[in-house]
Amino acid sequence: MTINRQDLVKQYNSYGFTAGQISEELDIPLYLVKSALYKYPKTSTEIKAKSLRYKTHIYDKRQATDRDRPMYELLYRVKPRKLNKMIKKMGTILTAKVLGCTRNDIIALKYHFGYYERIPGDALERICYFSADLRRKVDQRDHRICIRCHHQIDDDKIRYHKISHPGPMTVDNCATLCLNCRATKVLKEYGRDIHQFDGMRFKDFVRWIEEKVPYKSLIRKRTHCPNLNKKQ
């Protein structure tokens, strides 16, 4: 039985021989020894995907884009357990045909949670994306008005804010905020201590905003401070 030279080089290396010593001992050019000992980095498909949405101690400030939405809607429509079974049994190409989506949506979803990992059963709780159906229900409750500044919000400024993260993707765990209120006031508190929102629901969150980050408009200031109206 012949031993492959590359395996022989690795075997010598495991005993503590340096590349130079192995080259002299086996009469092999040094560059070939170094090549045999070189450890190639893992490919992107072998590395578990890193995602802010996957971590429980960091709150994701990024909003879903048009590129992300199809894969998240797919997760809502099919559910993780059924999707894992279909991918395992039929592969990504046939699964995409059966579900009427693109293969890229399935691949992107797998990369999101780790390509070689199963999509976790609580995947919907780990993400910050509310489905189109849930957003419609939130709009019916909040009328697309920011719960902090009470202003009507345009499509490009509206934010469907997940209150308790991780937590269930439900209407009661979602609040309507404008871009400015969410970015300048609310998310700062999440950065200080995200665990203060554990288990908090919509009514509790509204009370928290009124106590911790109330909206003080210029009109209210003038009402309570008449001196502001006087010219200096």
Side-chain angles (χ1 to χ4, degrees):
M1 180 179 177
T2 58
I3 301 177
N4 186 292
R5 287 202 304 176
Q6 188 173 8
D7 293 336
L8 191 61
V9 168
K10 291 181 179 179
Q11 188 176 355
Y12 268 76
N13 181 251
S14 66
Y15 284 111
F17 284 82
T18 63
Q21 291 172 338
I22 296 172
S23 176
E24 293 178 4
E25 187 72 22
L26 300 179
D27 193 23
I28 299 175
L30 183 60
Y31 75 92
L32 288 177
V33 174
K34 289 182 177 180
S35 177
L37 295 176
Y38 180 73
K39 294 182 180 180
Y40 290 91
K42 291 183 178 180
T43 61
S44 59
T45 55
E46 294 177 313
I47 302 172
K48 189 173 181 180
K50 293 181 179 179
S51 169
L52 284 177
R53 297 176 187 268
Y54 196 83
K55 298 178 181 178
T56 57
H57 63 283
I58 298 178
Y59 193 82
D60 183 23
K61 302 179 183 180
R62 186 175 66 89
Q63 289 292 304
T65 63
D66 291 336
R67 187 177 180 181
D68 298 330
R69 287 191 182 98
M71 73 173 182
Y72 293 139
E73 291 290 345
L74 176 66
L75 194 59
Y76 271 94
R77 180 161 56 93
V78 185
K79 306 303 180 189
R81 186 176 180 182
K82 182 179 179 181
L83 196 56
N84 282 326
K85 286 183 178 180
M86 293 181 71
I87 294 172
K88 184 177 181 180
K89 187 177 291 186
M90 299 186 295
T92 54
I93 297 176
L94 190 55
T95 298
K97 289 182 178 180
V98 171
L99 296 177
C101 63
T102 67
R103 181 172 180 262
N104 288 340
D105 292 336
I106 296 177
I107 296 297
L109 196 59
K110 287 186 67 63
Y111 269 115
H112 187 80
F113 293 102
Y115 188 81
Y116 287 110
E117 303 289 333
R118 290 170 59 85
I119 299 171
D122 60 345
L124 286 173
E125 295 185 6
R126 297 188 181 191
I127 63 176
C128 289
Y129 177 79
F130 289 89
S131 68
D133 182 56
L134 280 173
R135 293 199 303 272
R136 279 193 294 271
K137 292 178 181 178
V138 173
D139 288 344
Q140 290 174 1
R141 183 195 66 194
D142 298 341
H143 306 290
R144 297 173 72 85
I145 294 174
C146 176
I147 64 170
R148 179 175 180 268
C149 66
H150 306 292
H151 290 157
Q152 194 76 34
I153 316 173
D154 297 331
D155 290 342
D156 59 332
K157 298 291 179 64
I158 193 168
R159 294 293 181 264
Y160 296 94
H161 176 77
K162 187 174 181 180
I163 300 168
S164 178
H165 183 79
M169 303 303 294
T170 59
V171 175
D172 203 31
N173 196 28
C174 179
T176 305
L177 290 169
C178 66
L179 174 62
N180 183 60
C181 287
R182 184 172 187 264
T184 61
K185 297 295 182 181
V186 177
L187 287 183
K188 286 184 178 180
E189 296 298 326
Y190 276 79
R192 291 189 180 98
D193 181 17
I194 190 174
H195 296 295
Q196 65 179 308
F197 302 95
D198 291 351
M200 189 179 287
R201 292 298 176 259
F202 178 71
K203 290 183 179 179
D204 302 322
F205 187 65
V206 172
R207 282 196 295 268
W208 176 85
I209 282 184
E210 292 173 351
E211 294 174 3
K212 300 292 184 180
V213 286
Y215 181 72
K216 298 178 181 178
S217 67
L218 184 61
I219 296 175
R220 287 176 59 188
K221 284 183 179 179
R222 285 179 175 172
T223 302
H224 296 288
C225 303
N227 292 333
L228 289 176
N229 293 322
K230 295 179 181 180
K231 293 183 178 179
Q232 299 295 328

PDB file of all heavy atoms in Angstrom, residues 104-135:
ATOM      1  N   ASN A 104     -33.864  31.507  -6.282  1.00  0.00           N
ATOM      2  CA  ASN A 104     -33.044  32.483  -5.554  1.00  0.00           C
ATOM      3  C   ASN A 104     -33.661  32.861  -4.208  1.00  0.00           C
ATOM      4  O   ASN A 104     -32.947  33.132  -3.243  1.00  0.00           O
ATOM      5  CB  ASN A 104     -32.839  33.737  -6.399  1.00  0.00           C
ATOM      6  CG  ASN A 104     -31.892  33.504  -7.558  1.00  0.00           C
ATOM      7  OD1 ASN A 104     -31.117  32.557  -7.555  1.00  0.00           O
ATOM      8  ND2 ASN A 104     -31.965  34.354  -8.566  1.00  0.00           N
ATOM      9  N   ASP A 105     -35.007  32.895  -4.138  1.00  0.00           N
ATOM     10  CA  ASP A 105     -35.667  33.222  -2.871  1.00  0.00           C
ATOM     11  C   ASP A 105     -35.376  32.156  -1.816  1.00  0.00           C
ATOM     12  O   ASP A 105     -35.140  32.459  -0.650  1.00  0.00           O
ATOM     13  CB  ASP A 105     -37.181  33.340  -3.069  1.00  0.00           C
ATOM     14  CG  ASP A 105     -37.555  34.545  -3.907  1.00  0.00           C
ATOM     15  OD1 ASP A 105     -36.747  35.493  -3.946  1.00  0.00           O
ATOM     16  OD2 ASP A 105     -38.631  34.531  -4.522  1.00  0.00           O
ATOM     17  N   ILE A 106     -35.382  30.894  -2.242  1.00  0.00           N
ATOM     18  CA  ILE A 106     -35.113  29.790  -1.317  1.00  0.00           C
ATOM     19  C   ILE A 106     -33.644  29.798  -0.894  1.00  0.00           C
ATOM     20  O   ILE A 106     -33.316  29.621   0.281  1.00  0.00           O
ATOM     21  CB  ILE A 106     -35.487  28.438  -1.960  1.00  0.00           C
ATOM     22  CG1 ILE A 106     -36.990  28.402  -2.233  1.00  0.00           C
ATOM     23  CG2 ILE A 106     -35.085  27.282  -1.055  1.00  0.00           C
ATOM     24  CD1 ILE A 106     -37.463  27.159  -2.936  1.00  0.00           C
ATOM     25  N   ILE A 107     -32.747  30.010  -1.857  1.00  0.00           N
ATOM     26  CA  ILE A 107     -31.316  30.051  -1.555  1.00  0.00           C
ATOM     27  C   ILE A 107     -31.015  31.203  -0.593  1.00  0.00           C
ATOM     28  O   ILE A 107     -30.261  31.054   0.371  1.00  0.00           O
ATOM     29  CB  ILE A 107     -30.488  30.206  -2.848  1.00  0.00           C
ATOM     30  CG1 ILE A 107     -30.667  28.974  -3.743  1.00  0.00           C
ATOM     31  CG2 ILE A 107     -29.018  30.418  -2.520  1.00  0.00           C
ATOM     32  CD1 ILE A 107     -30.170  27.678  -3.156  1.00  0.00           C
ATOM     33  N   ALA A 108     -31.616  32.370  -0.844  1.00  0.00           N
ATOM     34  CA  ALA A 108     -31.395  33.534   0.031  1.00  0.00           C
ATOM     35  C   ALA A 108     -31.878  33.246   1.441  1.00  0.00           C
ATOM     36  O   ALA A 108     -31.240  33.646   2.425  1.00  0.00           O
ATOM     37  CB  ALA A 108     -32.116  34.752  -0.542  1.00  0.00           C
ATOM     38  N   LEU A 109     -33.000  32.538   1.552  1.00  0.00           N
ATOM     39  CA  LEU A 109     -33.544  32.201   2.864  1.00  0.00           C
ATOM     40  C   LEU A 109     -32.617  31.248   3.608  1.00  0.00           C
ATOM     41  O   LEU A 109     -32.390  31.381   4.812  1.00  0.00           O
ATOM     42  CB  LEU A 109     -34.927  31.574   2.694  1.00  0.00           C
ATOM     43  CG  LEU A 109     -35.819  31.499   3.932  1.00  0.00           C
ATOM     44  CD1 LEU A 109     -36.065  32.885   4.500  1.00  0.00           C
ATOM     45  CD2 LEU A 109     -37.143  30.837   3.585  1.00  0.00           C
ATOM     46  N   LYS A 110     -32.021  30.296   2.891  1.00  0.00           N
ATOM     47  CA  LYS A 110     -31.101  29.353   3.520  1.00  0.00           C
ATOM     48  C   LYS A 110     -29.812  30.053   3.944  1.00  0.00           C
ATOM     49  O   LYS A 110     -29.274  29.791   5.012  1.00  0.00           O
ATOM     50  CB  LYS A 110     -30.796  28.187   2.564  1.00  0.00           C
ATOM     51  CG  LYS A 110     -31.960  27.224   2.414  1.00  0.00           C
ATOM     52  CD  LYS A 110     -31.578  26.007   1.593  1.00  0.00           C
ATOM     53  CE  LYS A 110     -30.563  25.113   2.287  1.00  0.00           C
ATOM     54  NZ  LYS A 110     -31.065  24.537   3.535  1.00  0.00           N
ATOM     55  N   TYR A 111     -29.310  30.963   3.123  1.00  0.00           N
ATOM     56  CA  TYR A 111     -28.119  31.722   3.503  1.00  0.00           C
ATOM     57  C   TYR A 111     -28.389  32.577   4.746  1.00  0.00           C
ATOM     58  O   TYR A 111     -27.508  32.791   5.570  1.00  0.00           O
ATOM     59  CB  TYR A 111     -27.677  32.635   2.356  1.00  0.00           C
ATOM     60  CG  TYR A 111     -26.674  31.994   1.421  1.00  0.00           C
ATOM     61  CD1 TYR A 111     -26.989  31.744   0.095  1.00  0.00           C
ATOM     62  CD2 TYR A 111     -25.403  31.646   1.888  1.00  0.00           C
ATOM     63  CE1 TYR A 111     -26.068  31.159  -0.759  1.00  0.00           C
ATOM     64  CE2 TYR A 111     -24.479  31.060   1.043  1.00  0.00           C
ATOM     65  CZ  TYR A 111     -24.815  30.815  -0.283  1.00  0.00           C
ATOM     66  OH  TYR A 111     -23.903  30.234  -1.104  1.00  0.00           O
ATOM     67  N   HIS A 112     -29.610  33.046   4.872  1.00  0.00           N
ATOM     68  CA  HIS A 112     -29.974  33.924   5.979  1.00  0.00           C
ATOM     69  C   HIS A 112     -29.791  33.240   7.328  1.00  0.00           C
ATOM     70  O   HIS A 112     -29.337  33.851   8.297  1.00  0.00           O
ATOM     71  CB  HIS A 112     -31.425  34.360   5.813  1.00  0.00           C
ATOM     72  CG  HIS A 112     -31.863  35.405   6.795  1.00  0.00           C
ATOM     73  ND1 HIS A 112     -31.558  36.733   6.636  1.00  0.00           N
ATOM     74  CD2 HIS A 112     -32.555  35.323   7.952  1.00  0.00           C
ATOM     75  CE1 HIS A 112     -32.057  37.418   7.641  1.00  0.00           C
ATOM     76  NE2 HIS A 112     -32.673  36.589   8.455  1.00  0.00           N
ATOM     77  N   PHE A 113     -30.111  31.957   7.396  1.00  0.00           N
ATOM     78  CA  PHE A 113     -30.027  31.224   8.658  1.00  0.00           C
ATOM     79  C   PHE A 113     -28.854  30.237   8.684  1.00  0.00           C
ATOM     80  O   PHE A 113     -28.676  29.515   9.653  1.00  0.00           O
ATOM     81  CB  PHE A 113     -31.330  30.465   8.911  1.00  0.00           C
ATOM     82  CG  PHE A 113     -32.506  31.361   9.159  1.00  0.00           C
ATOM     83  CD1 PHE A 113     -33.437  31.588   8.164  1.00  0.00           C
ATOM     84  CD2 PHE A 113     -32.670  32.009  10.370  1.00  0.00           C
ATOM     85  CE1 PHE A 113     -34.521  32.430   8.379  1.00  0.00           C
ATOM     86  CE2 PHE A 113     -33.737  32.848  10.597  1.00  0.00           C
ATOM     87  CZ  PHE A 113     -34.666  33.057   9.591  1.00  0.00           C
ATOM     88  N   GLY A 114     -28.034  30.200   7.623  1.00  0.00           N
ATOM     89  CA  GLY A 114     -26.937  29.247   7.533  1.00  0.00           C
ATOM     90  C   GLY A 114     -27.250  28.235   6.451  1.00  0.00           C
ATOM     91  O   GLY A 114     -28.209  27.472   6.586  1.00  0.00           O
ATOM     92  N   TYR A 115     -26.452  28.220   5.394  1.00  0.00           N
ATOM     93  CA  TYR A 115     -26.810  27.435   4.199  1.00  0.00           C
ATOM     94  C   TYR A 115     -26.984  25.957   4.498  1.00  0.00           C
ATOM     95  O   TYR A 115     -27.893  25.302   3.989  1.00  0.00           O
ATOM     96  CB  TYR A 115     -25.745  27.628   3.117  1.00  0.00           C
ATOM     97  CG  TYR A 115     -26.146  27.012   1.798  1.00  0.00           C
ATOM     98  CD1 TYR A 115     -27.007  27.690   0.937  1.00  0.00           C
ATOM     99  CD2 TYR A 115     -25.691  25.754   1.416  1.00  0.00           C
ATOM    100  CE1 TYR A 115     -27.407  27.137  -0.262  1.00  0.00           C
ATOM    101  CE2 TYR A 115     -26.077  25.197   0.218  1.00  0.00           C
ATOM    102  CZ  TYR A 115     -26.935  25.888  -0.615  1.00  0.00           C
ATOM    103  OH  TYR A 115     -27.324  25.323  -1.810  1.00  0.00           O
ATOM    104  N   TYR A 116     -26.113  25.387   5.318  1.00  0.00           N
ATOM    105  CA  TYR A 116     -26.181  23.954   5.596  1.00  0.00           C
ATOM    106  C   TYR A 116     -27.029  23.645   6.834  1.00  0.00           C
ATOM    107  O   TYR A 116     -27.063  22.504   7.290  1.00  0.00           O
ATOM    108  CB  TYR A 116     -24.770  23.374   5.758  1.00  0.00           C
ATOM    109  CG  TYR A 116     -24.029  23.277   4.444  1.00  0.00           C
ATOM    110  CD1 TYR A 116     -22.953  24.114   4.162  1.00  0.00           C
ATOM    111  CD2 TYR A 116     -24.417  22.362   3.470  1.00  0.00           C
ATOM    112  CE1 TYR A 116     -22.282  24.047   2.957  1.00  0.00           C
ATOM    113  CE2 TYR A 116     -23.748  22.286   2.260  1.00  0.00           C
ATOM    114  CZ  TYR A 116     -22.684  23.120   2.004  1.00  0.00           C
ATOM    115  OH  TYR A 116     -22.034  23.042   0.803  1.00  0.00           O
ATOM    116  N   GLU A 117     -27.655  24.647   7.397  1.00  0.00           N
ATOM    117  CA  GLU A 117     -28.511  24.453   8.558  1.00  0.00           C
ATOM    118  C   GLU A 117     -29.971  24.370   8.106  1.00  0.00           C
ATOM    119  O   GLU A 117     -30.356  24.916   7.081  1.00  0.00           O
ATOM    120  CB  GLU A 117     -28.349  25.622   9.538  1.00  0.00           C
ATOM    121  CG  GLU A 117     -26.934  25.860  10.019  1.00  0.00           C
ATOM    122  CD  GLU A 117     -26.458  24.766  10.960  1.00  0.00           C
ATOM    123  OE1 GLU A 117     -27.324  24.160  11.626  1.00  0.00           O
ATOM    124  OE2 GLU A 117     -25.240  24.530  11.026  1.00  0.00           O
ATOM    125  N   ARG A 118     -30.782  23.678   8.904  1.00  0.00           N
ATOM    126  CA  ARG A 118     -32.214  23.688   8.669  1.00  0.00           C
ATOM    127  C   ARG A 118     -32.776  25.055   9.052  1.00  0.00           C
ATOM    128  O   ARG A 118     -32.280  25.687   9.991  1.00  0.00           O
ATOM    129  CB  ARG A 118     -32.904  22.597   9.495  1.00  0.00           C
ATOM    130  CG  ARG A 118     -32.620  21.176   9.024  1.00  0.00           C
ATOM    131  CD  ARG A 118     -33.123  20.167  10.032  1.00  0.00           C
ATOM    132  NE  ARG A 118     -34.553  20.297  10.261  1.00  0.00           N
ATOM    133  CZ  ARG A 118     -35.490  19.722   9.504  1.00  0.00           C
ATOM    134  NH1 ARG A 118     -35.142  18.984   8.464  1.00  0.00           N
ATOM    135  NH2 ARG A 118     -36.770  19.881   9.778  1.00  0.00           N
ATOM    136  N   ILE A 119     -33.774  25.500   8.331  1.00  0.00           N
ATOM    137  CA  ILE A 119     -34.434  26.747   8.709  1.00  0.00           C
ATOM    138  C   ILE A 119     -35.093  26.516  10.065  1.00  0.00           C
ATOM    139  O   ILE A 119     -35.900  25.596  10.215  1.00  0.00           O
ATOM    140  CB  ILE A 119     -35.484  27.147   7.657  1.00  0.00           C
ATOM    141  CG1 ILE A 119     -34.807  27.369   6.301  1.00  0.00           C
ATOM    142  CG2 ILE A 119     -36.228  28.405   8.087  1.00  0.00           C
ATOM    143  CD1 ILE A 119     -35.771  27.543   5.154  1.00  0.00           C
ATOM    144  N   PRO A 120     -34.735  27.285  11.098  1.00  0.00           N
ATOM    145  CA  PRO A 120     -35.247  27.011  12.455  1.00  0.00           C
ATOM    146  C   PRO A 120     -36.756  27.149  12.535  1.00  0.00           C
ATOM    147  O   PRO A 120     -37.374  27.946  11.819  1.00  0.00           O
ATOM    148  CB  PRO A 120     -34.542  28.061  13.316  1.00  0.00           C
ATOM    149  CG  PRO A 120     -34.135  29.129  12.369  1.00  0.00           C
ATOM    150  CD  PRO A 120     -33.864  28.471  11.063  1.00  0.00           C
ATOM    151  N   GLY A 121     -37.353  26.360  13.421  1.00  0.00           N
ATOM    152  CA  GLY A 121     -38.800  26.377  13.592  1.00  0.00           C
ATOM    153  C   GLY A 121     -39.323  27.722  14.057  1.00  0.00           C
ATOM    154  O   GLY A 121     -40.463  28.090  13.762  1.00  0.00           O
ATOM    155  N   ASP A 122     -38.491  28.484  14.793  1.00  0.00           N
ATOM    156  CA  ASP A 122     -38.916  29.801  15.275  1.00  0.00           C
ATOM    157  C   ASP A 122     -38.350  30.919  14.398  1.00  0.00           C
ATOM    158  O   ASP A 122     -38.125  32.036  14.865  1.00  0.00           O
ATOM    159  CB  ASP A 122     -38.476  30.005  16.719  1.00  0.00           C
ATOM    160  CG  ASP A 122     -36.959  29.925  16.888  1.00  0.00           C
ATOM    161  OD1 ASP A 122     -36.284  29.435  15.960  1.00  0.00           O
ATOM    162  OD2 ASP A 122     -36.456  30.336  17.945  1.00  0.00           O
ATOM    163  N   ALA A 123     -38.144  30.606  13.122  1.00  0.00           N
ATOM    164  CA  ALA A 123     -37.556  31.586  12.201  1.00  0.00           C
ATOM    165  C   ALA A 123     -38.380  32.861  12.123  1.00  0.00           C
ATOM    166  O   ALA A 123     -37.838  33.960  12.053  1.00  0.00           O
ATOM    167  CB  ALA A 123     -37.414  30.976  10.808  1.00  0.00           C
ATOM    168  N   LEU A 124     -39.705  32.725  12.160  1.00  0.00           N
ATOM    169  CA  LEU A 124     -40.568  33.906  12.071  1.00  0.00           C
ATOM    170  C   LEU A 124     -40.410  34.814  13.284  1.00  0.00           C
ATOM    171  O   LEU A 124     -40.612  36.021  13.195  1.00  0.00           O
ATOM    172  CB  LEU A 124     -42.033  33.480  11.926  1.00  0.00           C
ATOM    173  CG  LEU A 124     -42.425  32.917  10.561  1.00  0.00           C
ATOM    174  CD1 LEU A 124     -43.848  32.383  10.602  1.00  0.00           C
ATOM    175  CD2 LEU A 124     -42.277  33.957   9.478  1.00  0.00           C
ATOM    176  N   GLU A 125     -40.058  34.242  14.419  1.00  0.00           N
ATOM    177  CA  GLU A 125     -39.862  35.051  15.622  1.00  0.00           C
ATOM    178  C   GLU A 125     -38.503  35.748  15.618  1.00  0.00           C
ATOM    179  O   GLU A 125     -38.316  36.762  16.296  1.00  0.00           O
ATOM    180  CB  GLU A 125     -39.983  34.178  16.867  1.00  0.00           C
ATOM    181  CG  GLU A 125     -41.376  33.588  17.068  1.00  0.00           C
ATOM    182  CD  GLU A 125     -41.497  32.835  18.377  1.00  0.00           C
ATOM    183  OE1 GLU A 125     -40.538  32.882  19.166  1.00  0.00           O
ATOM    184  OE2 GLU A 125     -42.542  32.203  18.600  1.00  0.00           O
ATOM    185  N   ARG A 126     -37.561  35.202  14.869  1.00  0.00           N
ATOM    186  CA  ARG A 126     -36.211  35.762  14.869  1.00  0.00           C
ATOM    187  C   ARG A 126     -36.065  36.949  13.917  1.00  0.00           C
ATOM    188  O   ARG A 126     -35.134  37.744  14.058  1.00  0.00           O
ATOM    189  CB  ARG A 126     -35.197  34.686  14.495  1.00  0.00           C
ATOM    190  CG  ARG A 126     -35.149  33.542  15.492  1.00  0.00           C
ATOM    191  CD  ARG A 126     -34.006  32.602  15.176  1.00  0.00           C
ATOM    192  NE  ARG A 126     -33.961  31.485  16.099  1.00  0.00           N
ATOM    193  CZ  ARG A 126     -32.958  30.624  16.185  1.00  0.00           C
ATOM    194  NH1 ARG A 126     -31.926  30.762  15.392  1.00  0.00           N
ATOM    195  NH2 ARG A 126     -32.997  29.625  17.039  1.00  0.00           N
ATOM    196  N   ILE A 127     -36.928  37.016  12.933  1.00  0.00           N
ATOM    197  CA  ILE A 127     -36.810  38.110  11.975  1.00  0.00           C
ATOM    198  C   ILE A 127     -37.629  39.305  12.439  1.00  0.00           C
ATOM    199  O   ILE A 127     -38.383  39.239  13.394  1.00  0.00           O
ATOM    200  CB  ILE A 127     -37.276  37.661  10.573  1.00  0.00           C
ATOM    201  CG1 ILE A 127     -38.763  37.280  10.600  1.00  0.00           C
ATOM    202  CG2 ILE A 127     -36.420  36.527  10.068  1.00  0.00           C
ATOM    203  CD1 ILE A 127     -39.311  36.913   9.238  1.00  0.00           C
ATOM    204  N   CYS A 128     -37.478  40.430  11.758  1.00  0.00           N
ATOM    205  CA  CYS A 128     -38.220  41.647  12.100  1.00  0.00           C
ATOM    206  C   CYS A 128     -39.182  42.029  10.984  1.00  0.00           C
ATOM    207  O   CYS A 128     -39.552  43.192  10.871  1.00  0.00           O
ATOM    208  CB  CYS A 128     -37.248  42.805  12.339  1.00  0.00           C
ATOM    209  SG  CYS A 128     -36.314  42.647  13.858  1.00  0.00           S
ATOM    210  N   TYR A 129     -39.546  41.069  10.154  1.00  0.00           N
ATOM    211  CA  TYR A 129     -40.394  41.386   9.003  1.00  0.00           C
ATOM    212  C   TYR A 129     -41.839  40.997   9.279  1.00  0.00           C
ATOM    213  O   TYR A 129     -42.132  39.861   9.650  1.00  0.00           O
ATOM    214  CB  TYR A 129     -39.891  40.637   7.767  1.00  0.00           C
ATOM    215  CG  TYR A 129     -40.753  40.863   6.552  1.00  0.00           C
ATOM    216  CD1 TYR A 129     -40.639  42.038   5.815  1.00  0.00           C
ATOM    217  CD2 TYR A 129     -41.681  39.914   6.148  1.00  0.00           C
ATOM    218  CE1 TYR A 129     -41.428  42.251   4.705  1.00  0.00           C
ATOM    219  CE2 TYR A 129     -42.480  40.123   5.047  1.00  0.00           C
ATOM    220  CZ  TYR A 129     -42.347  41.293   4.318  1.00  0.00           C
ATOM    221  OH  TYR A 129     -43.132  41.504   3.225  1.00  0.00           O
ATOM    222  N   PHE A 130     -42.740  41.964   9.084  1.00  0.00           N
ATOM    223  CA  PHE A 130     -44.169  41.698   9.206  1.00  0.00           C
ATOM    224  C   PHE A 130     -44.748  41.490   7.815  1.00  0.00           C
ATOM    225  O   PHE A 130     -44.499  42.291   6.906  1.00  0.00           O
ATOM    226  CB  PHE A 130     -44.868  42.868   9.904  1.00  0.00           C
ATOM    227  CG  PHE A 130     -44.549  42.965  11.364  1.00  0.00           C
ATOM    228  CD1 PHE A 130     -43.458  43.704  11.803  1.00  0.00           C
ATOM    229  CD2 PHE A 130     -45.314  42.296  12.302  1.00  0.00           C
ATOM    230  CE1 PHE A 130     -43.147  43.784  13.147  1.00  0.00           C
ATOM    231  CE2 PHE A 130     -45.006  42.370  13.660  1.00  0.00           C
ATOM    232  CZ  PHE A 130     -43.927  43.113  14.076  1.00  0.00           C
ATOM    233  N   SER A 131     -45.509  40.424   7.658  1.00  0.00           N
ATOM    234  CA  SER A 131     -46.067  40.095   6.350  1.00  0.00           C
ATOM    235  C   SER A 131     -47.046  41.177   5.901  1.00  0.00           C
ATOM    236  O   SER A 131     -47.494  42.007   6.687  1.00  0.00           O
ATOM    237  CB  SER A 131     -46.783  38.745   6.414  1.00  0.00           C
ATOM    238  OG  SER A 131     -47.941  38.842   7.230  1.00  0.00           O
ATOM    239  N   ALA A 132     -47.390  41.140   4.609  1.00  0.00           N
ATOM    240  CA  ALA A 132     -48.326  42.123   4.057  1.00  0.00           C
ATOM    241  C   ALA A 132     -49.672  42.045   4.775  1.00  0.00           C
ATOM    242  O   ALA A 132     -50.315  43.074   5.035  1.00  0.00           O
ATOM    243  CB  ALA A 132     -48.499  41.878   2.562  1.00  0.00           C
ATOM    244  N   ASP A 133     -50.097  40.833   5.123  1.00  0.00           N
ATOM    245  CA  ASP A 133     -51.370  40.656   5.822  1.00  0.00           C
ATOM    246  C   ASP A 133     -51.329  41.289   7.213  1.00  0.00           C
ATOM    247  O   ASP A 133     -52.265  41.979   7.635  1.00  0.00           O
ATOM    248  CB  ASP A 133     -51.693  39.163   5.933  1.00  0.00           C
ATOM    249  CG  ASP A 133     -53.026  38.914   6.616  1.00  0.00           C
ATOM    250  OD1 ASP A 133     -54.040  39.455   6.151  1.00  0.00           O
ATOM    251  OD2 ASP A 133     -53.051  38.184   7.625  1.00  0.00           O
ATOM    252  N   LEU A 134     -50.227  41.081   7.948  1.00  0.00           N
ATOM    253  CA  LEU A 134     -50.084  41.676   9.281  1.00  0.00           C
ATOM    254  C   LEU A 134     -50.009  43.196   9.211  1.00  0.00           C
ATOM    255  O   LEU A 134     -50.579  43.899  10.048  1.00  0.00           O
ATOM    256  CB  LEU A 134     -48.835  41.126   9.970  1.00  0.00           C
ATOM    257  CG  LEU A 134     -48.956  39.743  10.610  1.00  0.00           C
ATOM    258  CD1 LEU A 134     -47.599  39.273  11.097  1.00  0.00           C
ATOM    259  CD2 LEU A 134     -49.951  39.762  11.752  1.00  0.00           C
ATOM    260  N   ARG A 135     -49.319  43.720   8.189  1.00  0.00           N
ATOM    261  CA  ARG A 135     -49.217  45.171   8.044  1.00  0.00           C
ATOM    262  C   ARG A 135     -50.577  45.804   7.784  1.00  0.00           C
ATOM    263  O   ARG A 135     -50.865  46.902   8.280  1.00  0.00           O
ATOM    264  CB  ARG A 135     -48.239  45.527   6.923  1.00  0.00           C
ATOM    265  CG  ARG A 135     -46.789  45.156   7.220  1.00  0.00           C
ATOM    266  CD  ARG A 135     -45.821  45.903   6.339  1.00  0.00           C
ATOM    267  NE  ARG A 135     -46.054  45.696   4.923  1.00  0.00           N
ATOM    268  CZ  ARG A 135     -45.523  44.712   4.209  1.00  0.00           C
ATOM    269  NH1 ARG A 135     -44.724  43.825   4.798  1.00  0.00           N
ATOM    270  NH2 ARG A 135     -45.768  44.607   2.929  1.00  0.00           N
TER     271      ARG A 135
END
